[in-house]
Short mmCIF file of all heavy atoms in Angstrom, two decimals:
data_model
loop_
_atom_site.label_atom_id
_atom_site.label_comp_id
_atom_site.label_asym_id
_atom_site.label_seq_id
_atom_site.Cartn_x
_atom_site.Cartn_y
_atom_site.Cartn_z
N TRP V 154 109.23 74.78 106.91
CA TRP V 154 110.36 74.50 106.01
C TRP V 154 111.13 75.80 105.78
O TRP V 154 110.55 76.84 105.45
CB TRP V 154 109.84 73.97 104.68
CG TRP V 154 110.90 73.66 103.65
CD1 TRP V 154 111.52 72.47 103.45
CD2 TRP V 154 111.42 74.55 102.64
NE1 TRP V 154 112.40 72.56 102.40
CE2 TRP V 154 112.36 73.81 101.89
CE3 TRP V 154 111.17 75.88 102.31
CZ2 TRP V 154 113.06 74.38 100.82
CZ3 TRP V 154 111.88 76.44 101.25
CH2 TRP V 154 112.81 75.70 100.52
N MET V 155 112.45 75.74 105.98
CA MET V 155 113.33 76.87 105.71
C MET V 155 114.60 76.36 105.05
O MET V 155 115.05 75.25 105.35
CB MET V 155 113.67 77.62 107.01
CG MET V 155 112.49 78.16 107.77
SD MET V 155 112.95 78.95 109.36
CE MET V 155 113.75 80.46 108.76
N ALA V 156 115.17 77.16 104.17
CA ALA V 156 116.38 76.72 103.48
C ALA V 156 117.30 77.89 103.19
O ALA V 156 116.86 78.96 102.78
CB ALA V 156 116.02 76.01 102.17
N GLU V 157 118.58 77.67 103.43
CA GLU V 157 119.62 78.60 103.03
C GLU V 157 120.15 78.12 101.68
O GLU V 157 120.61 76.98 101.56
CB GLU V 157 120.77 78.61 104.05
CG GLU V 157 120.34 78.95 105.45
CD GLU V 157 121.43 78.73 106.49
OE1 GLU V 157 122.57 78.39 106.08
OE2 GLU V 157 121.17 78.89 107.68
N VAL V 158 120.07 78.95 100.67
CA VAL V 158 120.55 78.57 99.34
C VAL V 158 121.49 79.64 98.81
O VAL V 158 121.22 80.84 98.94
CB VAL V 158 119.39 78.33 98.35
CG1 VAL V 158 118.60 77.09 98.74
CG2 VAL V 158 118.46 79.52 98.27
N SER V 159 122.59 79.21 98.25
CA SER V 159 123.63 80.15 97.82
C SER V 159 123.14 81.08 96.72
O SER V 159 123.61 82.22 96.59
CB SER V 159 124.87 79.39 97.35
OG SER V 159 124.54 78.51 96.29
N GLY V 160 122.19 80.61 95.91
CA GLY V 160 121.71 81.43 94.80
C GLY V 160 121.13 82.76 95.24
O GLY V 160 121.21 83.76 94.51
N GLU V 161 120.54 82.81 96.44
CA GLU V 161 119.94 84.06 96.92
C GLU V 161 121.00 85.09 97.30
O GLU V 161 120.73 86.28 97.29
CB GLU V 161 119.01 83.78 98.10
CG GLU V 161 117.73 83.06 97.71
CD GLU V 161 116.96 83.81 96.63
OE1 GLU V 161 116.62 84.98 96.84
OE2 GLU V 161 116.72 83.21 95.57
N ALA V 162 122.19 84.63 97.67
CA ALA V 162 123.27 85.56 98.00
C ALA V 162 124.02 86.00 96.75
O ALA V 162 124.65 87.05 96.74
CB ALA V 162 124.25 84.90 98.97
N GLU V 163 123.91 85.19 95.70
CA GLU V 163 124.70 85.46 94.50
C GLU V 163 123.88 85.98 93.33
O GLU V 163 124.44 86.46 92.35
CB GLU V 163 125.42 84.16 94.09
CG GLU V 163 126.44 83.71 95.14
CD GLU V 163 126.93 82.29 94.92
OE1 GLU V 163 126.25 81.56 94.16
OE2 GLU V 163 127.95 81.91 95.52
N HIS V 164 122.55 85.89 93.43
CA HIS V 164 121.69 86.39 92.35
C HIS V 164 121.98 87.86 92.09
O HIS V 164 122.06 88.30 90.95
CB HIS V 164 120.22 86.19 92.71
CG HIS V 164 119.27 86.80 91.74
ND1 HIS V 164 119.09 86.31 90.47
CD2 HIS V 164 118.45 87.88 91.85
CE1 HIS V 164 118.20 87.06 89.84
NE2 HIS V 164 117.80 88.01 90.66
N VAL V 165 122.10 88.62 93.17
CA VAL V 165 122.59 89.99 93.11
C VAL V 165 123.81 90.03 94.02
O VAL V 165 123.77 89.53 95.14
CB VAL V 165 121.52 90.99 93.61
CG1 VAL V 165 122.10 92.40 93.70
CG2 VAL V 165 120.31 90.97 92.69
N TRP V 166 124.92 90.59 93.53
CA TRP V 166 126.16 90.60 94.29
C TRP V 166 125.95 91.34 95.60
O TRP V 166 125.69 92.53 95.62
CB TRP V 166 127.26 91.26 93.46
CG TRP V 166 128.64 90.82 93.85
CD1 TRP V 166 129.63 91.61 94.34
CD2 TRP V 166 129.18 89.50 93.77
NE1 TRP V 166 130.75 90.86 94.58
CE2 TRP V 166 130.51 89.57 94.24
CE3 TRP V 166 128.67 88.27 93.36
CZ2 TRP V 166 131.34 88.45 94.30
CZ3 TRP V 166 129.49 87.16 93.42
CH2 TRP V 166 130.81 87.25 93.88
#
Side-chain angles (χ1 to χ4, degrees):
W154 179 91
M155 301 176 71
E157 303 171 5
V158 292
S159 58
E161 289 305 302
E163 296 167 343
H164 174 69
V165 173
W166 204 242

